Amino acid sequence: MNAQENAEKISAPSEELIIEIVDLHKWFGEFHVLRGIDLNVHKGERIVVCGPSGSGKSTLIRCINRLEEHQRGKIVVDGIELTNNIKKIEKVRAEVGMVFQHFNLFPHLTILDNLTLGPVWVRKIPRKEAEETAMLYLEKVHIAEQARKYPGQLSGGQQQRVAIARSLCMKPKLMLFDEPTSALDPEMIKEVLDVMIELAQEGMTMIVVTHEMGFAKSVAHRVLFMDFGSIVEGNSPDEFFNNPQHERTQLFLSQILH
Amino acid sequence: MSRPMENVAAGTAKGELKPPLTKVGVFGWIRENLFKGWFNSTLTILTLYCLWEVGPPLVNWLFLDAVWTAGSEACRAADGACWSVVVENIRFILFGFFPYGSQWRPLAAMLLLFGLLYYSQDREHWKKSLLYAWVVGLFLMGLLMRGGLFGLESVESTKWGGLPLTLLLSVFGLTAAYPLGVLLALGRQSRMTGVRWLCIVYIEAVRGVPLISLLFMSAIIFPLMLPEGVTFNKILRAQAAIILFTAAYIAEVVRGGLQAMSKGQYEAAESMGLNYYLTMRLIILPQALKIVIPPTVSILISAFKDTSLVVIIALFDVLKTTKSVISDPEWMGFSREAYIFVAIIYFLGCFSMSNYSRRLERELKTD
């Protein structure tokens, strides 16, 4: 079965749009980092974004939860347009989970407290209930026995799994992954990818910036290649890997698939 | 290259070899720390010689030949330290001009304060009930000092002095300066230009002048600006000056802590939908304040000792009362003993703060 069928077998995306990006431009000072991005993401869709460093892929996903501000264009997430309105931004952020390259767990709190913080303070869920949910998700990422420890006592792979569980506790509609395995030792990459694949199997909408092409092949609906701030090519994994259209895509693939 | 297999087997087969006698235990310590090499050994011998020369005479002067309770004539006749200057004048040194018969009141107030402080040490006790305990305690302390109710003689604040005054100025000063300093530090980082500039100007202006000049201004210049007849309690003015001064220094130290925070922490908090207030309160400040405990405690210790500057506005803190005792003709010439005593008081205060901060750091360690 080819990759596309595989991805479809896991779960097909629905028709409903969850992200609408129209003519997105962003500058860092004089540097034009995002040059006219147009992207529609459907609910349940899984997109992998790849490209050379400096291409703007991290910046793109960080614009989606307003960790970066865009200067031109429109971004609509879950029906809410991202502008300077703080209240709207916070609403969007509660529905968009983010997993960072360097985990960014809160070192002064236990694992359990890391997970219950969002639900208790943002969703106003009672502590007992939040803790039950947290334990559920810790079991899901196979790390329940570490609940009372501190992040500093865990390995990188364990920390990243906790980070994923922390985002999941907020029950987000969409998850963004910014190079989730790039800071991990090779032995730990698999355990994190496995968790992400399980997540995919449950139908979570995911946008993943990564170099793990195996992951792209097995679960992505679409693979996007970005270079110099624009989306050069975007296709189903089959088409993308076997039939790259643009020269730059072909060059990139030859460099990373060795 | 790995060790030959025979040696490995020999070590484990023959049993544990004991280290040589002169390398471990007491001998080992002495050899390692006191006599390692020529320079080290020479220093050790020199130090031992100095201790030999200075030690016995010092012990003689401090304890063996000292006069403890006799009057000033006996002191002048003796060779040793005159601790009577402290013992005879202890009530003035500790309580200043507070009415003699009511001096149990400031004593009780101080004991109450020490009790509350001791109880607050333990982080397990940091609950709402502690807050109530402090409110009640502060009210009681105020009542004991001020009087006027329940048959207690009314004592104006102008008569408050000595150790209670030092403690009052320090405890309130430091407790108010810390949150103010944190707010200033946050304001300094603010993206709102007006707030940021206000904080910068405040911090730089206050850091640019000595505390003594702020006390001077608060006592002399500030009343001139008030309308006719409006007076401000002198202790209150000194208190305000100490708070405003210390807050500026704490602000800069806290700002350093905030800058040490990685952006990732802010981003993780924000990406969950936490607003500014919650991000600061739950994530950033707990970490940043923990990092800067050492310099913060240094500032607080300095502020505690700086309360002695209120002498400039004619308030009788514990250092001033001590000075007054030795300007008395009867006790003139025994300044050494009096200052040693007040130094011990300051040392006890500063050392407990320092000790507590070390303990706090240990308890808050999570890695």
Side-chain angles (χ1 to χ4, degrees):
Chain A
M1 164 177 0
N2 65 24
Q4 181 165 358
E5 286 173 16
N6 201 18
E8 299 287 334
K9 182 178 189 289
I10 293 176
S11 51
S14 75
E15 287 302 312
E16 211 184 319
L17 273 185
I18 194 165
I19 299 182
E20 237 182 288
I21 300 178
V22 179
D23 192 35
L24 180 67
H25 286 263
K26 178 167 173 62
W27 285 264
F28 278 130
E30 290 293 314
F31 177 53
H32 198 175
V33 59
L34 292 176
R35 303 170 192 241
I37 305 273
D38 291 292
L39 180 63
N40 282 342
V41 180
H42 297 92
K43 245 196 179 138
E45 203 176 348
R46 294 181 294 277
I47 300 184
V48 167
V49 183
C50 61
S53 51
S55 55
K57 38 190 212 299
S58 287
T59 313
L60 174 61
I61 66 169
R62 284 158 65 92
C63 282
I64 295 176
N65 70 352
R66 198 72 174 185
L67 283 183
E68 301 287 353
E69 242 175 73
H70 60 275
Q71 279 83 38
R72 208 170 103 182
K74 186 169 92 159
I75 305 181
V76 182
V77 179
D78 195 28
I80 305 175
E81 187 178 343
L82 289 177
T83 55
N84 283 325
N85 187 327
I86 301 270
K87 284 276 167 281
K88 294 222 172 116
I89 294 175
E90 284 167 13
K91 263 185 137 173
V92 166
R93 284 174 174 169
E95 300 300 335
V96 176
M98 181 136 184
V99 177
F100 299 87
Q101 183 177 353
H102 295 288
F103 335 133
N104 290 338
L105 293 178
F106 306 129
H108 61 299
L109 301 173
T110 60
I111 302 297
L112 193 63
D113 287 335
N114 260 275
L115 264 64
T116 55
L117 193 107
V120 167
W121 292 97
V122 180
R123 295 232 188 263
K124 312 276 197 275
I125 293 175
R127 179 157 282 276
K128 264 247 120 72
E129 201 183 311
E131 284 187 2
E132 280 167 17
T133 317
M135 286 310 291
L136 226 75
Y137 281 114
L138 283 178
E139 301 217 0
K140 197 154 173 225
V141 300
H142 318 298
I143 209 165
E145 69 282 0
Q146 314 281 7
R148 305 272 165 208
K149 289 209 179 141
Y150 288 92
Q153 298 167 302
L154 265 53
S155 73
Q158 291 172 319
Q159 287 189 51
Q160 194 62 299
R161 285 186 277 148
V162 169
I164 295 175
R166 181 177 63 172
S167 291
L168 289 175
C169 280
M170 290 289 284
K171 309 252 172 72
K173 298 202 172 113
L174 143 81
M175 292 270 284
L176 304 171
F177 294 81
D178 189 358
E179 305 210 34
T181 55
S182 296
L184 296 176
D185 291 337
E187 316 92 72
M188 300 194 232
I189 293 180
K190 181 175 188 308
E191 69 192 47
V192 173
L193 288 180
D194 283 343
V195 166
M196 288 165 68
I197 291 175
E198 274 176 41
L199 211 59
Q201 284 168 342
E202 289 164 13
M204 173 65 79
T205 316
M206 296 160 76
I207 305 181
V208 186
V209 172
T210 186
H211 301 295
E212 295 290 326
M213 293 304 142
F215 175 80
K217 282 187 195 163
S218 59
V219 293
H221 291 118
R222 258 198 289 173
V223 183
L224 303 177
F225 172 66
M226 278 185 73
D227 198 7
F228 291 118
S230 32
I231 298 178
V232 173
E233 193 170 331
N235 232 324
S236 67
D238 271 331
E239 285 298 308
F240 187 85
F241 290 112
N242 300 330
N243 221 350
Q245 306 279 326
H246 292 252
E247 208 181 300
R248 288 194 293 188
T249 322
Q250 293 162 2
L251 182 61
F252 177 73
L253 283 175
S254 69
Q255 284 169 334
I256 67 163
L257 295 173
H258 42 252
Chain B
M1 180 118 127
S2 54
R3 288 157 57 203
M5 289 305 287
E6 312 89 63
N7 283 356
V8 178
T12 47
K14 278 194 188 152
E16 300 289 319
L17 282 177
K18 285 215 181 307
L21 190 66
T22 49
K23 293 265 187 207
V24 292
V26 183
F27 283 123
W29 189 92
I30 292 180
R31 187 189 164 126
E32 185 66 23
N33 290 293
L34 302 181
F35 291 105
K36 195 179 178 113
W38 282 109
F39 184 64
N40 210 325
S41 309
T42 318
L43 277 180
T44 305
I45 294 174
L46 264 165
T47 315
L48 285 173
Y49 174 70
C50 286
L51 284 174
W52 176 257
E53 285 291 303
V54 172
L58 191 64
V59 170
N60 270 333
W61 185 81
L62 277 175
F63 302 111
L64 302 177
D65 294 336
V67 178
W68 292 87
T69 48
S72 53
E73 305 88 51
C75 268
R76 292 186 204 284
D79 274 334
C82 178
W83 296 117
S84 319
V85 69
V86 170
V87 173
E88 292 289 305
N89 298 296
I90 190 86
R91 290 178 63 140
F92 185 73
I93 292 176
L94 288 183
F95 303 116
F97 291 112
F98 209 87
Y100 199 81
S102 307
Q103 279 178 356
W104 65 271
R105 281 162 47 183
L107 180 64
M110 283 202 293
L111 291 175
L112 183 58
L113 181 66
F114 292 145
L116 276 172
L117 284 173
Y118 185 76
Y119 186 73
S120 310
Q121 257 188 75
D122 196 342
R123 291 195 319 130
E124 303 274 301
H125 297 148
W126 289 8
K127 292 192 278 260
K128 261 230 158 77
S129 50
L130 186 64
L131 197 66
Y132 296 141
W134 269 100
V135 170
V136 172
L138 287 170
F139 175 72
L140 280 174
M141 282 186 251
L143 181 64
L144 282 167
M145 292 297 287
R146 190 68 175 75
L149 296 174
F150 305 122
L152 294 172
E153 173 196 353
S154 182
V155 179
E156 289 213 349
S157 60
T158 45
K159 288 217 171 352
W160 298 1
L163 194 52
L165 182 62
T166 297
L167 288 173
L168 169 76
L169 290 172
S170 353
V171 172
F172 281 115
L174 307 184
T175 327
Y178 191 75
L180 182 59
V182 172
L183 285 174
L184 278 170
L186 291 176
R188 181 111 167 45
Q189 308 266 57
S190 170
R191 283 201 276 180
M192 294 182 273
T193 331
V195 172
R196 197 172 68 240
W197 274 104
L198 206 69
C199 292
I200 293 177
V201 165
Y202 174 89
I203 293 172
E204 295 306 324
V206 170
R207 289 203 308 171
V209 297
L211 175 57
I212 215 166
S213 65
L214 279 181
L215 286 168
F216 209 65
M217 279 196 276
S218 78
I220 316 275
I221 303 180
F222 188 56
L224 292 175
M225 297 196 285
L226 292 174
E228 279 294 317
V230 176
T231 48
F232 236 104
N233 187 319
K234 194 153 46 155
I235 294 185
L236 214 60
R237 280 180 259 150
Q239 185 77 90
I242 291 175
I243 292 175
L244 295 175
F245 183 77
T246 314
Y249 289 83
I250 292 198
E252 283 298 280
V253 152
V254 170
R255 187 167 72 94
L258 289 172
Q259 286 181 325
M261 296 297 302
S262 66
K263 250 182 97 190
Q265 290 293 301
Y266 287 96
E267 290 181 356
E270 284 166 4
S271 64
M272 278 205 282
L274 287 173
N275 60 23
Y276 177 81
Y277 165 69
L278 286 175
T279 304
M280 284 300 159
R281 176 186 150 186
L282 299 172
I283 311 296
I284 305 297
L285 284 179
Q287 295 181 63
L289 295 181
K290 184 168 72 164
I291 297 174
V292 295
I293 287 178
T296 308
V297 171
S298 288
I299 295 175
L300 298 179
I301 289 178
S302 281
F304 173 64
K305 293 181 287 186
D306 281 345
T307 53
S308 54
L309 291 172
V310 297
V311 66
I312 201 87
I313 51 177
L315 284 173
F316 277 75
D317 77 300
V318 73
L319 186 62
K320 172 70 173 164
T321 52
T322 310
K323 262 188 79 165
S324 311
V325 162
I326 47 186
S327 16
D328 183 338
E330 188 187 345
W331 297 104
M332 223 183 270
F334 297 118
S335 50
R336 244 177 309 183
E337 293 85 338
Y339 283 133
I340 289 178
F341 177 69
V342 79
I344 292 176
I345 294 182
Y346 277 116
F347 178 78
L348 287 174
C350 298
F351 188 68
S352 7
M353 282 196 267
S354 186
N355 227 12
Y356 183 65
S357 95
R358 271 202 302 273
R359 176 179 142 179
L360 205 60
E361 276 190 276
R362 246 190 349 255
E363 281 178 14
L364 293 174
K365 223 166 151 47
T366 58
D367 53 351

